[in-house]
Amino acid sequence: MLNHIVDLQPMRGVRSVLVLGILGMSLISVNAAELAEDGRLELTLAETVKLSKLNDPWLLGNQHTQQSLESMSIAAGTLSDPKVSVGLANFPTDTFDSGQEAMTQIKVGVSQMFPRGDSLAIKKEQLELLGGQYPYQRQDRKAKVTVLVSHLWLDAYKAQQSIALINDKRALFEELANVAQASYSSALGKTRLQDIVRAQLELTRLDDRLTTLSQHNDMFRARLSEWLSDYFVDNRLQTSLVESQKLSTSFVLARQLPDTQLANPQLYREVTETDPQILFDYLSDHPAVNAIGQKIKASSSAIELAQQKYKPEWGINASYGYRDNDPMGNDRSDLFSVGVTFDLPLFTSNRQDKLVESAVSRTEAVKTEKSLLLRKLIASFETTKAQLVRLNQRQQLFQQQLLPQMHEQAEASLTAYTNDDGDFAEVVRARIAELNAEINALNIDVDRQKTIIQLNYLFTPSVDEVVVGNHRLGEMK
């Protein structure tokens, strides 16, 4: 094509030279886009997710809550403290002589209560079961943070790479404007004044798009800094000095898109809906479901605890009474007493029966939470899977047909205009269409990664597998 342009007739010489400039700018634009920014940390998706989980104080607070319940379980399984009583019994008020009356005594007693049945062991077990849900909550929190931060990173990446695409193409539009200006000034060819205005208008529109994308880029980077900043983060959350140094707000995103692999790819071989029973088996191991499972176990133990109300509560007491000598100086024997107390749960219809019914209802209510969550997860899978299927189809369409066709159209319109056989407006439209197609292809690639990460959240007991590696798709096209 270069030889063809060089052999053009003299009346198209100015335009041909400038078109050569356009081709030259297109060749060097890729290299210009690869220049790295100095002095700022480049974060990949996997690194960003790792730092975000490192900087999440919620995890530490959740761990403290679990430790609180564990300590409470030990306390709940321990007998209450014994009670000691000290008193002066039957003291005469006429003479205040401790030896006057035989009943006068200084009395010291101790009593101990014993809870109903196995109440202590059940209370301890119940709190331990409640504490068992917190590791699952932390696991689910890490997975949710992974999805949230990944989406923010991908949104910022989309804005960053869209800006890079427009900056690359802007040089071409500037050269087109120069071509139109030179052709119009030389009064050669069919260039009109409206072609010059159209070229300047497209440059202005590109500047507006750059401003809008920069706004989105700044917004998503600011939201990312919430998870990367080390302000208000306990030092115990930071595992090493190297990782702590990465918590700077001055960062750039990697210029290559990660290739996140699907967990359980066998579920996506069929376009039709997956068997709900198969999904149920997979999703039953989800951390959020397991956390509710722990609540169900704790609630079931509450039923057993309520049933202990039918058993009596026991108490034992013992006392020792010291008596002074009688008025004749004779010794009086001291007194020792021991006794047992217990209640009789006779009227159970309005108390114990209702407490058991209440515990059963609470347990059934928690079970419905599990059913609702599983139904929500299954519906979320089917919805997200449908999105992924269409995104895969669009990605294939863009890569195999639309992008090559758009490029051919742009080159053909430029060649026709160079040969003074085409319209300048058509050249501009073709270049704009090619740019829009490349940005749309980028959006599809990014949305596909976001969809895969969302699907992996549904099936991954291990949060480290939500974002599988950081493999590259290759250089941005």
Side-chain angles (χ1 to χ4, degrees):
M1 180 178 177
L2 292 178
N3 293 332
H4 177 69
I5 295 176
V6 172
D7 292 336
L8 294 175
Q9 298 177 6
M11 66 178 300
R12 299 195 300 270
V14 175
R15 187 184 300 178
S16 302
V17 171
L18 291 175
V19 171
L20 281 174
I22 294 176
L23 296 176
M25 292 297 297
S26 65
L27 291 175
I28 66 173
S29 60
V30 176
N31 292 332
E34 294 176 353
L35 295 178
E37 300 185 45
D38 296 332
R40 291 196 289 178
L41 179 66
E42 183 178 273
L43 288 178
T44 64
L45 175 58
E47 292 169 343
T48 304
V49 168
K50 181 179 180 181
L51 291 177
S52 65
K53 289 185 288 187
L54 186 68
N55 289 305
D56 190 5
W58 187 94
L59 298 175
L60 183 60
N62 183 269
Q63 189 173 357
H64 283 309
T65 304
Q66 179 185 356
Q67 292 173 355
S68 172
L69 281 178
E70 290 174 351
S71 299
M72 287 177 60
S73 68
I74 296 176
T78 305
L79 286 173
S80 59
D81 295 329
K83 297 180 180 180
V84 177
S85 61
V86 178
L88 185 61
N90 306 316
F91 198 77
T93 58
D94 53 351
T95 63
F96 295 99
D97 182 4
S98 62
Q100 175 181 327
E101 302 294 338
M103 295 186 299
T104 303
Q105 55 185 298
I106 299 175
K107 190 175 183 180
V108 178
V110 61
S111 62
Q112 176 67 56
M113 297 300 296
F114 298 92
R116 308 174 191 276
D118 297 326
S119 297
L120 287 181
I122 295 174
K123 286 182 180 179
K124 180 180 180 181
E125 180 186 10
Q126 183 182 25
L127 291 173
E128 288 175 347
L129 290 172
L130 284 175
Q133 68 180 313
Y134 289 97
Y136 294 116
Q137 289 181 358
R138 290 195 294 274
Q139 196 174 16
D140 183 57
R141 168 73 175 190
K142 290 179 180 179
K144 287 181 177 178
V145 168
T146 298
V147 174
L148 173 62
V149 173
S150 296
H151 285 192
L152 289 175
W153 189 96
L154 289 168
D155 286 332
Y157 171 87
K158 179 167 61 176
Q160 172 183 288
Q161 298 304 99
S162 297
I163 292 173
L165 276 172
I166 294 177
N167 283 330
D168 288 345
K169 298 299 182 181
R170 195 180 191 283
L172 301 180
F173 282 97
E174 290 176 350
E175 288 296 325
L176 283 175
N178 292 334
V179 168
Q181 181 66 46
S183 178
Y184 181 77
S185 299
S186 63
L188 298 176
K190 296 187 297 184
T191 303
R192 298 160 295 179
L193 179 61
Q194 67 183 40
D195 295 334
I196 300 176
V197 176
R198 174 65 183 272
Q200 293 298 329
L201 176 61
E202 294 301 335
L203 285 174
T204 304
R205 287 179 175 176
L206 287 180
D207 289 337
D208 178 65
R209 293 181 70 176
L210 284 173
T211 302
T212 303
L213 289 170
S214 297
Q215 175 188 355
H216 293 165
N217 187 33
D218 294 341
M219 179 181 67
F220 290 121
R221 283 168 56 87
R223 293 181 63 183
L224 268 180
S225 65
E226 172 190 353
W227 298 95
L228 300 180
S229 173
D230 58 352
Y231 290 114
F232 312 111
V233 176
D234 195 297
N235 291 331
R236 286 173 290 180
L237 293 177
Q238 300 179 9
T239 58
S240 69
L241 179 61
V242 175
E243 289 174 334
S244 177
Q245 291 174 346
K246 290 183 179 180
L247 305 179
S248 171
T249 57
S250 178
F251 63 91
V252 294
L253 304 182
R255 295 189 300 273
Q256 292 176 318
L257 189 64
D259 183 16
T260 305
Q261 303 299 320
L262 279 169
N264 301 316
Q266 66 275 9
L267 297 175
Y268 306 94
R269 293 170 183 167
E270 299 293 336
V271 180
T272 57
E273 291 187 2
T274 308
D275 185 356
Q277 184 60 46
I278 296 177
L279 293 178
F280 178 84
D281 295 338
Y282 277 102
L283 295 174
S284 295
D285 197 30
H286 193 277
V289 177
N290 288 333
I292 296 181
Q294 287 295 118
K295 290 176 61 178
I296 293 175
K297 292 179 182 178
S299 185
S300 298
S301 67
I303 299 176
E304 188 178 357
L305 181 62
Q307 291 172 345
Q308 302 304 307
K309 297 291 185 180
Y310 292 102
K311 300 178 180 180
E313 182 180 33
W314 294 83
I316 185 172
N317 60 80
S319 63
Y320 181 85
Y322 169 78
R323 297 195 299 174
D324 201 357
N325 295 335
D326 63 14
M328 304 299 296
N330 297 321
D331 289 338
R332 290 190 178 118
S333 61
D334 297 334
L335 302 177
F336 176 76
S337 302
V338 64
V340 175
T341 60
F342 58 92
D343 60 1
L344 295 176
L346 298 178
F347 310 104
T348 60
S349 60
N350 290 330
R351 184 174 176 82
Q352 285 84 351
D353 292 350
K354 297 304 178 182
L355 288 174
V356 173
E357 290 178 8
S358 175
V360 171
S361 296
R362 284 198 302 269
T363 302
E364 294 302 319
V366 178
K367 289 180 180 180
T368 60
E369 292 182 20
K370 181 177 180 180
S371 300
L372 288 172
L373 178 59
L374 283 169
R375 188 170 69 173
K376 179 181 178 180
L377 293 176
I378 292 174
S380 178
F381 167 78
E382 294 295 350
T383 302
T384 314
K385 175 186 174 182
Q387 293 175 353
L388 180 62
V389 169
R390 297 307 177 187
L391 286 171
N392 287 337
Q393 292 176 354
R394 293 190 65 198
Q395 185 186 51
Q396 185 177 8
L397 179 65
F398 267 77
Q399 296 297 331
Q400 296 181 1
Q401 299 182 38
L402 195 56
L403 287 178
Q405 291 171 1
M406 284 292 184
H407 182 70
E408 291 176 2
Q409 179 188 12
E411 291 298 321
S413 61
L414 179 61
T415 302
Y417 177 69
T418 303
N419 293 327
D420 210 12
D421 190 32
D423 184 51
F424 180 80
E426 183 61 30
V427 177
V428 174
R429 282 195 296 267
R431 290 296 176 180
I432 290 293
E434 183 183 18
L435 174 61
N436 291 336
E438 291 179 355
I439 292 179
N440 288 337
L442 172 65
N443 294 339
I444 292 173
D445 291 340
V446 171
D447 290 343
R448 183 176 177 274
Q449 291 300 306
K450 292 168 66 175
T451 304
I452 291 175
I453 292 172
Q454 184 66 46
L455 285 169
N456 285 353
Y457 162 77
L458 300 175
F459 294 104
T460 310
S462 174
V463 297
D464 294 332
E465 298 177 7
V466 174
V467 178
V468 183
N470 197 37
H471 306 293
R472 309 296 188 181
L473 285 177
E475 293 291 334
M476 181 192 69
K477 298 183 179 179

